[in-house]
Amino acid sequence: MRNFTCVQDLGDLQQALKEAFEIKKDRFQFTESGKNKTLLMIFFNSSLRTRLSTQKAAMNLGMNTMVLDVNQGAWKLETEHGVIMDGDKPEHLLEAIPVMGCYCDIIGVRSFARFENKEEDYNEMILNQFIQYSGRPVFSMEAATRHPLQSFADLITIEEYKKTARPKVVLTWAPHPKALPQAVPNSFAEWMNATDHDFVITHPEGYELDPVFVGNACVEYDQKKAFQGADFIYAKNWAAYADPNYGKVLSTDRSWTVDTDKMALTNNAYFMHCLPVRRNMIVTDDVIKSPQSIVIQEAANREISAQTVLKKILQEL
Ligand code: CP
């Protein structure tokens, strides 16, 4: 594997899951594979889990790691092409990217949707420039439209906890005070569609995701109906995708918060969220602290998904 930006890049998903569980059994069995190789992680946006889990995964493989927070300590980067650089951004991404590539073997990039230009966001302008100009394998640490390391960890977690071969998995929109990208729900839907799950998406009207990601999912506007018989509830907020409301918050209706009454409609479902989560907006304290909440186990699997991806990229270096 050269680059990792979406589920298709992994190739055989069942084989990748098998490799992930092998790594989970003994995460230090491949410490030679990354020897004298350097991972550079570039963050245009904040992170707790991705930063720590990916760095830990790289260290498990014997890699050296470097982290650059673009907005803290680096030159402000111009990302637009063809502009007169007479403003506050002294370096262009077109020089910065190949320079970064000189100092490492693999690059991880986090760059969220900006909600300024839908076409730019959905064309993954930043991530694709790293792929085009760095001369290095590049993997997404959450880009504008997808968060594949998260989705891979989500799938590993579902595989670990599922009680039936084809569980009912429900992705539910939940309220949040600020506009959040669609990357996590898009990606989760993409990965669920790549597997054989009974997959349902529920959200208020106006929050329809890009049909490319919805795929074969059943879309149900009645959240309580969607929860009935569910084995997994995956909560997430996202801002509107459809025009003319792209990137807007249309509702903060707390009747969509995941609470114990709604969880009682499910088949004793596990509660999942990628974190960070706003308690009592997305999910009540009672649900997130209940034994059915597997958000910490899910976050722990971020190390496994990152290590599986890095190992596959190292094999092709
Ligand atoms: N879930 C996730 O990606 O967390 P961070 O934003 O903290 O990395």
Short mmCIF file of all heavy atoms in Angstrom, two decimals, residues 163 231 263 267-272 287-295:
data_model
loop_
_atom_site.label_atom_id
_atom_site.label_comp_id
_atom_site.label_asym_id
_atom_site.label_seq_id
_atom_site.Cartn_x
_atom_site.Cartn_y
_atom_site.Cartn_z
N LYS A 163 -22.25 -9.83 18.60
CA LYS A 163 -22.74 -11.11 19.12
C LYS A 163 -23.42 -11.92 18.02
O LYS A 163 -23.76 -13.08 18.24
CB LYS A 163 -23.72 -10.86 20.26
CG LYS A 163 -23.04 -10.27 21.50
CD LYS A 163 -24.08 -9.93 22.55
CE LYS A 163 -23.45 -9.13 23.68
NZ LYS A 163 -24.37 -8.14 24.22
N ASP A 231 -27.78 -3.28 17.57
CA ASP A 231 -26.71 -3.91 18.36
C ASP A 231 -25.60 -2.91 18.68
O ASP A 231 -24.87 -3.08 19.65
CB ASP A 231 -26.13 -5.09 17.57
CG ASP A 231 -27.17 -6.17 17.33
OD1 ASP A 231 -27.64 -6.75 18.32
OD2 ASP A 231 -27.54 -6.39 16.17
N MET A 263 -31.72 4.09 24.40
CA MET A 263 -30.89 2.87 24.42
C MET A 263 -31.74 1.66 24.82
O MET A 263 -31.47 0.53 24.40
CB MET A 263 -29.70 3.03 25.38
CG MET A 263 -28.64 4.02 24.89
SD MET A 263 -27.86 3.59 23.32
CE MET A 263 -26.76 2.26 23.78
N ASN A 267 -31.26 -3.60 21.14
CA ASN A 267 -30.96 -4.98 21.57
C ASN A 267 -29.76 -4.92 22.54
O ASN A 267 -28.70 -5.49 22.26
CB ASN A 267 -30.66 -5.82 20.33
CG ASN A 267 -30.38 -7.27 20.67
OD1 ASN A 267 -30.86 -7.78 21.67
ND2 ASN A 267 -29.58 -7.92 19.84
N ASN A 268 -29.94 -4.17 23.64
CA ASN A 268 -28.85 -3.97 24.61
C ASN A 268 -27.58 -3.51 23.87
O ASN A 268 -26.48 -4.05 24.06
CB ASN A 268 -28.58 -5.25 25.40
CG ASN A 268 -27.81 -5.00 26.69
OD1 ASN A 268 -27.86 -3.88 27.23
ND2 ASN A 268 -27.09 -5.98 27.17
N ALA A 269 -27.75 -2.50 23.02
CA ALA A 269 -26.68 -2.08 22.11
C ALA A 269 -25.48 -1.50 22.85
O ALA A 269 -25.61 -0.92 23.93
CB ALA A 269 -27.22 -1.03 21.14
N TYR A 270 -24.34 -1.64 22.21
CA TYR A 270 -23.13 -0.95 22.66
C TYR A 270 -23.19 0.48 22.13
O TYR A 270 -23.65 0.72 21.01
CB TYR A 270 -21.88 -1.64 22.14
CG TYR A 270 -21.64 -2.97 22.80
CD1 TYR A 270 -21.84 -4.17 22.11
CD2 TYR A 270 -21.20 -3.04 24.12
CE1 TYR A 270 -21.62 -5.39 22.72
CE2 TYR A 270 -20.98 -4.26 24.74
CZ TYR A 270 -21.19 -5.42 24.03
OH TYR A 270 -21.00 -6.63 24.65
N PHE A 271 -22.68 1.40 22.95
CA PHE A 271 -22.63 2.81 22.53
C PHE A 271 -21.22 3.14 22.06
O PHE A 271 -20.24 2.87 22.77
CB PHE A 271 -23.02 3.75 23.69
CG PHE A 271 -22.86 5.19 23.31
CD1 PHE A 271 -23.83 5.83 22.55
CD2 PHE A 271 -21.72 5.90 23.66
CE1 PHE A 271 -23.66 7.16 22.16
CE2 PHE A 271 -21.54 7.22 23.28
CZ PHE A 271 -22.52 7.85 22.52
N MET A 272 -21.12 3.76 20.88
CA MET A 272 -19.82 4.13 20.32
C MET A 272 -19.81 5.61 19.94
O MET A 272 -20.82 6.18 19.54
CB MET A 272 -19.50 3.29 19.07
CG MET A 272 -19.42 1.80 19.35
SD MET A 272 -19.09 0.82 17.86
CE MET A 272 -17.36 1.21 17.56
N VAL A 287 -25.54 7.17 29.82
CA VAL A 287 -25.22 6.23 28.73
C VAL A 287 -23.71 6.08 28.58
O VAL A 287 -23.20 4.97 28.48
CB VAL A 287 -25.88 6.68 27.40
CG1 VAL A 287 -25.37 5.83 26.23
CG2 VAL A 287 -27.39 6.59 27.50
N ILE A 288 -23.00 7.20 28.60
CA ILE A 288 -21.55 7.08 28.31
C ILE A 288 -20.80 6.39 29.46
O ILE A 288 -19.75 5.78 29.23
CB ILE A 288 -20.92 8.44 27.93
CG1 ILE A 288 -19.60 8.18 27.18
CG2 ILE A 288 -20.75 9.35 29.12
CD1 ILE A 288 -19.05 9.34 26.43
N LYS A 289 -21.34 6.45 30.67
CA LYS A 289 -20.65 5.77 31.77
C LYS A 289 -21.20 4.36 32.00
O LYS A 289 -20.74 3.65 32.89
CB LYS A 289 -20.73 6.61 33.05
CG LYS A 289 -22.06 6.65 33.71
CD LYS A 289 -22.02 7.51 34.96
CE LYS A 289 -23.36 7.43 35.70
NZ LYS A 289 -23.54 8.44 36.72
N SER A 290 -22.18 3.95 31.21
CA SER A 290 -22.79 2.62 31.39
C SER A 290 -21.84 1.53 30.90
O SER A 290 -20.94 1.80 30.09
CB SER A 290 -24.11 2.53 30.62
OG SER A 290 -23.84 2.39 29.23
N PRO A 291 -22.05 0.29 31.35
CA PRO A 291 -21.19 -0.81 30.86
C PRO A 291 -21.31 -1.03 29.35
O PRO A 291 -20.42 -1.63 28.75
CB PRO A 291 -21.73 -2.04 31.61
CG PRO A 291 -22.58 -1.53 32.70
CD PRO A 291 -23.04 -0.16 32.32
N GLN A 292 -22.40 -0.54 28.74
CA GLN A 292 -22.57 -0.72 27.29
C GLN A 292 -21.76 0.29 26.48
O GLN A 292 -21.67 0.18 25.26
CB GLN A 292 -24.06 -0.60 26.91
CG GLN A 292 -24.91 -1.75 27.42
CD GLN A 292 -24.33 -3.11 27.07
OE1 GLN A 292 -23.76 -3.78 27.93
NE2 GLN A 292 -24.44 -3.51 25.83
N SER A 293 -21.16 1.26 27.15
CA SER A 293 -20.36 2.24 26.42
C SER A 293 -18.96 1.66 26.17
O SER A 293 -18.26 1.25 27.10
CB SER A 293 -20.25 3.52 27.25
OG SER A 293 -19.30 4.38 26.66
N ILE A 294 -18.56 1.63 24.90
CA ILE A 294 -17.24 1.07 24.55
C ILE A 294 -16.37 2.14 23.88
O ILE A 294 -15.50 1.83 23.06
CB ILE A 294 -17.37 -0.21 23.67
CG1 ILE A 294 -18.27 0.03 22.45
CG2 ILE A 294 -17.89 -1.37 24.51
CD1 ILE A 294 -18.30 -1.15 21.46
N VAL A 295 -16.57 3.38 24.29
CA VAL A 295 -15.82 4.47 23.66
C VAL A 295 -14.32 4.42 23.98
O VAL A 295 -13.49 4.80 23.15
CB VAL A 295 -16.40 5.86 24.02
CG1 VAL A 295 -17.81 6.04 23.48
CG2 VAL A 295 -16.37 6.12 25.52
#
